[in-house]
Amino acid sequence: MLARDDAYKLLTSKLKRENMVKHCLAVEAIMREFASRFNGDRELWGLTGLLHDIDFDETFNDPKRHGVLAAEYLKGLLPEEALRAIISHNFENTGVKPESVMEKALIVADALSGLIVACALVMPHKKLSEVKVETIEKKFKAKDFARGVSRERISLCKEIGLSEREAFEIGLQAMLRIADKLGL
């Protein structure tokens, strides 16, 4: 399996926009915490989160290839279960339906990271430390807030045994641990 440092170098060689790299770092952090919650392999789940959008720059205008191209890049570097999770995180376009806990957790982490960042950006100092779980709950219910964040994808947490509030708590704590890397 790919070492974390090598995975990060590979990611930054493919993704040129800093905000996309930060998004991948946030998803990695959340996935590591989800792994702990579900007795998964923290390293594997983290790498899956870190690399899930590695092909984003190349597939931005071709969503049917997003995730599929990433899996091609990562074949032989990550186990098959990680590749399937990466392809299924874009199930709406790839047709690969998420089935495992890790696959569904990746979808939740992907969307949840966006909601949490949006919550931080409306705080007075734009810091994650200002965000409370109650803030996330309130903003989650406000359909006009962070319209690009899929509430349905976050609600997939229920299929893996988490309430939305538990997912918010896990996501926020994970992202707080790397707030400096996220610039938040």
Side-chain angles (χ1 to χ4, degrees), residues 1-2 44 47-48 51 74-80 82-83 86:
M1 186 164 68
L2 194 59
L44 176 61
L47 288 173
T48 303
L51 297 169
L74 301 168
K75 191 166 183 67
L77 299 174
L78 291 179
E80 202 58 43
L83 301 180
I86 289 169

Side-chain angles (χ1 to χ4, degrees), residues 76-154:
L77 299 174
L78 291 179
E80 202 58 43
E81 65 184 301
L83 301 180
R84 190 177 193 293
I86 289 169
I87 294 169
S88 71
H89 97 277
N90 183 27
F91 67 94
E92 301 92 340
N93 290 297
T94 65
V96 177
K97 299 288 183 214
E99 296 170 359
S100 74
V101 173
M102 182 170 75
E103 292 165 5
K104 292 175 182 178
L106 179 59
I107 292 166
V108 174
D110 190 23
L112 182 57
S113 67
L115 179 64
I116 294 171
V117 166
C119 288
L121 292 177
V122 298
M123 293 292 128
H125 299 100
K126 299 184 183 338
K127 296 291 179 189
L128 282 168
S129 59
E130 297 174 282
V131 178
K132 306 291 180 243
V133 173
E134 294 75 18
T135 306
I136 301 169
E137 285 179 314
K138 182 179 175 187
K139 297 297 189 184
F140 178 78
K141 292 174 185 166
K143 301 301 180 209
D144 59 337
F145 179 79
R147 291 176 195 242
V149 173
S150 170
R151 274 54 174 182
E152 284 126 19
R153 291 171 72 85
I154 294 171

Side-chain angles (χ1 to χ4, degrees), residues 55 58-68 90 92-94:
D55 64 357
E58 293 174 77
T59 61
F60 182 74
N61 292 317
D62 189 3
K64 290 195 181 310
R65 290 183 56 225
H66 178 50
V68 175
N90 183 27
E92 301 92 340
N93 290 297
T94 65

Side-chain angles (χ1 to χ4, degrees), residues 9-54:
K9 286 176 190 163
L10 182 60
L11 178 74
T12 55
S13 76
K14 297 285 187 187
L15 286 182
K16 299 305 177 195
R17 290 182 291 165
E18 185 181 0
N19 66 327
M20 281 303 298
V21 173
K22 287 178 179 181
H23 164 70
C24 290
L25 291 171
V27 176
E28 174 191 23
I30 296 170
M31 284 296 286
R32 286 180 179 278
E33 293 309 311
F34 280 163
S36 293
R37 178 66 178 256
F38 296 109
N39 296 312
D41 179 330
R42 282 178 58 90
E43 193 65 22
L44 176 61
W45 286 43
L47 288 173
T48 303
L50 180 66
L51 297 169
H52 79 286
D53 276 346
I54 192 169

